[in-house]
Amino acid sequence: MENAIRKFEKLLSENINYFPTLNDEILEVKIPGKWSKKEILGHLIDSGIHNLVRFTEINYLEKPYHHRPYSQMDLVDLNQYQTIPIAELTQLWFSVNRQIVRIMKSVDQKALDYKIVLADESVIDLKFLMTDYVEHLVHHVNQIKS
């Protein structure tokens, strides 16, 4: 978990000041069927919000915890991330994820083994979900930076 947290904190610190320097012309380019870089950041905000709820709920809801999927495409459209200034998007992304870092740092070792049932009925644990979340961030941040 410590490696994932270090990677996560580094990702946040490297990009909190970088994202706002990107030009809107680059951030808002749309390719049919793909998200713009602003929309990718918006997706990361949605993902952060949903995972923050998951990472906290699992501690007090009945076990095994049932992972609830969400409509990624609809949320990106409904939240209108394409029209929001990059500085505002970056702050929201950073704030949600700083809270997730706090949760990850304070999670009880026993809780990392809590079972999570996915929509397809496969089972993972909280440790996998948390470390996978960090890898998900890395993937999408690299898309924004490319």
Side-chain angles (χ1 to χ4, degrees):
M1 240 2 243
E2 290 178 23
N3 288 340
I5 292 169
R6 274 195 297 278
K7 182 187 276 190
F8 195 176
E9 289 181 311
K10 183 176 185 229
L11 183 85
L12 293 176
S13 68
E14 286 176 350
N15 293 291
I16 182 65
N17 295 316
Y18 173 71
F19 288 162
T21 68
L22 297 173
N23 184 307
D24 279 341
E25 291 173 9
I26 293 168
L27 291 167
E28 295 174 359
V29 169
K30 292 278 290 177
I31 297 170
K34 300 279 186 183
W35 285 327
S36 70
K37 293 178 187 293
K38 269 189 173 179
E39 290 171 324
I40 292 169
L41 187 56
H43 164 67
L44 290 177
I45 292 166
D46 294 334
S47 177
I49 290 167
H50 281 83
N51 280 290
L52 179 59
V53 169
R54 292 170 180 148
F55 297 164
T56 53
E57 279 185 344
I58 194 169
N59 290 284
Y60 62 84
L61 290 180
E62 184 178 330
K63 313 295 183 286
Y65 180 79
H66 288 267
H67 180 277
R68 292 182 313 276
Y70 61 96
S71 179
Q72 299 173 17
M73 301 300 281
D74 288 335
L75 282 177
V76 167
D77 290 341
L78 289 167
N79 282 301
Q80 302 173 17
Y81 293 122
Q82 185 75 348
T83 65
I84 298 174
I86 189 60
E88 190 176 331
L89 284 175
T90 302
Q91 274 306 123
L92 183 54
W93 171 77
F94 182 78
S95 296
V96 168
N97 282 290
R98 280 302 308 153
Q99 184 60 25
I100 292 173
V101 167
R102 286 183 193 96
I103 296 297
M104 289 173 75
K105 284 182 170 182
S106 67
V107 70
D108 184 272
Q109 193 65 33
K110 184 177 129 189
L112 291 174
D113 293 328
Y114 288 161
K115 299 304 177 211
I116 301 168
V117 179
L118 302 178
D120 68 1
E121 298 300 320
S122 59
V123 178
I124 60 172
D125 58 27
L126 181 58
K127 182 177 182 178
F128 177 84
L129 189 62
M130 287 180 161
T131 55
D132 187 61
Y133 176 72
V134 174
E135 294 307 315
H136 175 255
L137 278 173
V138 168
H139 169 74
H140 285 304
V141 166
N142 286 338
Q143 286 181 313
I144 294 168
K145 292 173 99 170
S146 68

